[in-house]
Amino acid sequence: MNNAYVHGYHSRENIRLQDQANALVELLHFDTSYPAGSRVLEAGCGIGAQTVTLARNSPNALITSIDISADSIAQAKRNVEAAGIKNVQFRQADIFDLPFGRESFDHVFVCFVLEHLSLPVEALRTLKNLLKDGGTITVIEGDHGSAYFYPDSADAHKAIQCQVELQGRAGGNALIGRELYPILTRAGFSAIQVSPRMVYVDSGKPQLVEGFTKNTFTAMIEGVRDAALAAGIVEPRVFDRGIKDLYRTAESDGVFCYTFFKACALKA
Amino acid sequence: MNNAYVHGYHSRENIRLQDQANALVELLHFDTSYPAGSRVLEAGCGIGAQTVTLARNSPNALITSIDISADSIAQAKRNVEAAGIKNVQFRQADIFDLPFGRESFDHVFVCFVLEHLSLPVEALRTLKNLLKDGGTITVIEGDHGSAYFYPDSADAHKAIQCQVELQGRAGGNALIGRELYPILTRAGFSAIQVSPRMVYVDSGKPQLVEGFTKNTFTAMIEGVRDAALAAGIVEPRVFDRGIKDLYRTAESDGVFCYTFFKACALKA
């Protein structure tokens, strides 16, 4: 099973993922809260960027967070302890081979994970087996094809396409956000409700200009420069102009748009 | 002044524009309502597709709707009369040469108009002169670069690009939605708030599949076929595959996304 990641395993990346989580917490998570005593599986917690919010919004739920990377789990534990959170247990485990019995959980939460998997529908089927009947799954994913901006720039789109191409070569799908409805359908879930969460940034929102346009999205694309050049996907000067043009959208007359997709569905 | 339109002047188009208005009324207009006795200018009412909603949401406001086309005004009058609406006056007039004194209006409403103008900032400045101090302007525009879908299709994007290219050649801008913040800034408005209105369509929303994906968006792109071929922008088979792929997004596992932008700003 190819679970290779394009991003996520460097310490500067850890800081970026934390920044992203802080800027987007309200937009993505405000409407996820689980009842007291319910058992929740967070599948693919990474360094715990979402775990802290998940646990804070459901302080009396019993959360189990798993990740395939022992290093990420160790960092996630530190992040959760630093936040004073007590209702999360961690386990290192593969999403395709989880050490839990059928129908162990009331709810499953999956955030920024399916984009990295070559078999997202199979992953969802595996998670469905762990859910009790009537349990819910919540999935959040981005979609890099949802990025557009003013001033527009063909080079900026080419730079973004490098990330899409690299993630695809690693077995993932950077355009998976728009696909949540069909993949949840294929995995056998019902009552699927998809809610797009658009991030709209203009200079009237300086925190988002810094926190999203520059430090989250453009920094992420900038981070694939070496890999994109090594793979021969793009000419260096095209990529560099693209990055410059992405930063240009953070100036006073610039606008940047990106959409995350959040889906909730039932195991009927 | 080049006010050429790419679409809007054929009777099948009139039906399409009415369908579009019905499907999107709530999303675009629910939060626009003007106080009793306030004087509102609707600049560029076309065939009155938005006028009926505007007048219904503000039944005691005094609405003046203008358009450059006498034929459109005649149709708009019929639409408004058929709806039993009494608080709208119509005048045929050019947005750049309006027969009203300075500060004649409390509010200005502009919907699907700036996309057709070669000088949108100048149009907004002209409208600002008609506003009283402290008056508001509301602007709604689409953005064809905001369209993305599953299954993705390069040909579908090429077909959409034909409409963008034709509208550009006619002096307009089919990507103007994302630019509302900078153009309102340049026109001298203040307290600009832009609110994106994303239309997300999957097969769980059959009315939107019909009313938006097929009968509004894809029908509009399909409608530029002859002009695009005559202009030599695209090969017929590429365009036709693109249209087929757009209809493909309306099938049971398809997804279609499009974003309108609504801005409100003050004359300070």
Side-chain angles (χ1 to χ4, degrees):
Chain A
M1 201 59 62
N2 183 351
N3 287 319
Y5 280 57
V6 171
H7 55 79
Y9 285 134
H10 304 290
S11 66
R12 196 189 153 197
E13 279 286 282
N14 288 355
I15 294 167
R16 190 187 66 75
L17 291 172
Q18 282 295 325
D19 286 350
Q20 174 178 339
N22 294 336
L24 300 171
V25 161
E26 190 64 15
L27 181 71
L28 300 182
H29 300 292
F30 75 93
D31 53 354
T32 297
S33 175
Y34 298 111
S38 58
R39 294 183 178 276
V40 179
L41 174 66
E42 184 192 14
C45 63
I47 62 162
Q50 320 301 325
T51 311
V52 170
T53 304
L54 187 70
R56 279 201 182 123
N57 286 351
S58 302
N60 299 308
L62 306 169
I63 298 169
T64 302
S65 294
I66 65 107
D67 201 89
I68 197 169
S69 157
D71 286 351
S72 291
I73 287 282
Q75 180 65 46
K77 275 185 183 165
R78 287 194 291 274
N79 287 339
V80 161
E81 282 166 14
I85 283 164
K86 310 286 188 194
N87 60 328
V88 181
Q89 289 190 318
F90 289 98
R91 287 187 72 162
Q92 192 229 321
D94 185 336
I95 204 167
F96 291 99
D97 184 25
L98 289 169
F100 308 110
R102 290 178 67 87
E103 309 195 2
S104 300
F105 295 96
D106 300 294
H107 305 286
V108 171
F109 180 84
V110 189
C111 185
F112 304 145
V113 173
L114 300 183
E115 62 168 320
H116 300 297
L117 305 180
S118 54
L119 298 171
V121 175
E122 288 70 8
L124 291 172
R125 284 194 188 120
T126 301
L127 294 170
K128 188 158 64 83
N129 288 335
L130 301 183
L131 266 180
K132 296 176 186 169
D133 282 354
T136 72
I137 187 164
T138 298
V139 182
I140 301 175
E141 295 289 344
D143 188 316
H144 293 354
S146 75
Y148 54 96
F149 28 81
Y150 177 81
D152 199 3
S153 156
D155 290 332
H157 283 290
K158 284 178 192 160
I160 294 167
Q161 190 54 34
C162 291
Q163 204 282 340
V164 174
E165 176 67 24
L166 288 168
Q167 191 148 354
R169 291 184 187 190
N173 178 3
L175 311 179
I176 202 168
R178 74 189 72 174
E179 292 186 41
L180 293 187
Y181 187 91
I183 65 178
L184 283 160
T185 302
R186 274 178 226 134
F189 286 94
S190 60
I192 303 161
Q193 294 286 340
V194 176
S195 159
R197 308 286 160 108
M198 184 170 170
V199 185
Y200 166 82
V201 188
D202 61 36
S203 59
K205 303 173 179 188
Q207 284 185 310
L208 280 175
V209 172
E210 290 298 313
F212 190 76
T213 306
K214 292 165 74 171
N215 297 335
T216 298
F217 189 82
T218 305
M220 176 191 62
I221 300 300
E222 204 170 12
V224 305
R225 184 181 193 277
D226 291 350
L229 297 186
I233 299 172
V234 70
E235 291 293 316
R237 61 179 184 173
V238 172
F239 187 89
D240 294 342
R241 283 197 310 249
I243 297 298
K244 190 180 167 195
D245 289 349
L246 286 173
Y247 281 115
R248 171 69 183 84
T249 71
E251 293 183 20
S252 65
D253 65 346
V255 172
F256 191 89
C257 302
Y258 185 91
T259 299
F260 295 91
F261 292 80
K262 183 170 185 174
C264 198
L266 282 182
K267 177 176 178 178
Chain B
M1 199 61 58
N2 182 351
N3 288 322
Y5 280 56
V6 170
H7 56 81
Y9 285 132
H10 305 290
S11 66
R12 196 189 153 197
E13 279 287 282
N14 288 356
I15 294 166
R16 190 188 66 75
L17 291 172
Q18 282 295 326
D19 285 349
Q20 174 177 339
N22 294 338
L24 300 171
V25 160
E26 189 64 14
L27 180 71
L28 300 182
H29 300 292
F30 75 93
D31 53 353
T32 297
S33 175
Y34 299 110
S38 58
R39 295 182 177 276
V40 179
L41 174 66
E42 183 191 15
C45 63
I47 62 161
Q50 320 301 323
T51 311
V52 171
T53 304
L54 187 70
R56 280 201 180 124
N57 286 351
S58 302
N60 298 307
L62 308 169
I63 298 169
T64 302
S65 294
I66 66 107
D67 200 90
I68 197 169
S69 157
D71 287 350
S72 291
I73 287 282
Q75 181 65 45
K77 273 184 184 166
R78 287 194 290 275
N79 287 339
V80 161
E81 281 165 15
I85 283 165
K86 310 285 188 195
N87 59 327
V88 181
Q89 290 189 317
F90 289 98
R91 288 189 69 162
Q92 191 228 323
D94 184 336
I95 204 168
F96 291 98
D97 184 24
L98 290 170
F100 308 111
R102 291 178 65 88
E103 308 193 2
S104 300
F105 294 96
D106 300 295
H107 304 286
V108 171
F109 180 84
V110 189
C111 185
F112 304 146
V113 173
L114 300 183
E115 61 168 322
H116 300 296
L117 305 180
S118 54
L119 297 171
V121 175
E122 287 70 8
L124 291 173
R125 284 195 188 118
T126 301
L127 294 170
K128 189 158 64 82
N129 288 334
L130 301 183
L131 267 181
K132 296 176 187 170
D133 283 352
T136 72
I137 187 164
T138 298
V139 183
I140 301 176
E141 295 289 344
D143 188 315
H144 293 353
S146 75
Y148 53 96
F149 29 80
Y150 176 81
D152 201 4
S153 156
D155 289 332
H157 284 291
K158 283 177 192 159
I160 294 167
Q161 188 56 33
C162 290
Q163 203 282 342
V164 174
E165 175 68 24
L166 288 168
Q167 191 149 354
R169 291 184 187 189
N173 177 4
L175 311 179
I176 202 167
R178 73 189 73 174
E179 292 186 41
L180 292 187
Y181 187 92
I183 66 178
L184 282 161
T185 302
R186 275 179 226 131
F189 286 95
S190 61
I192 303 160
Q193 295 285 340
V194 177
S195 160
R197 307 286 161 108
M198 183 170 170
V199 184
Y200 166 83
V201 188
D202 60 38
S203 60
K205 303 173 179 188
Q207 285 184 310
L208 280 175
V209 172
E210 289 299 313
F212 191 76
T213 305
K214 292 165 75 171
N215 297 335
T216 297
F217 189 83
T218 304
M220 175 190 64
I221 300 301
E222 205 170 10
V224 305
R225 185 180 192 277
D226 291 350
L229 297 185
I233 298 173
V234 71
E235 292 293 317
R237 62 178 185 172
V238 172
F239 187 89
D240 293 341
R241 282 197 310 248
I243 297 299
K244 189 180 167 196
D245 289 349
L246 286 173
Y247 282 115
R248 170 68 184 83
T249 71
E251 293 182 18
S252 65
D253 65 344
V255 172
F256 191 87
C257 302
Y258 185 90
T259 299
F260 296 91
F261 291 80
K262 182 169 184 174
C264 198
L266 281 182
K267 178 176 179 179

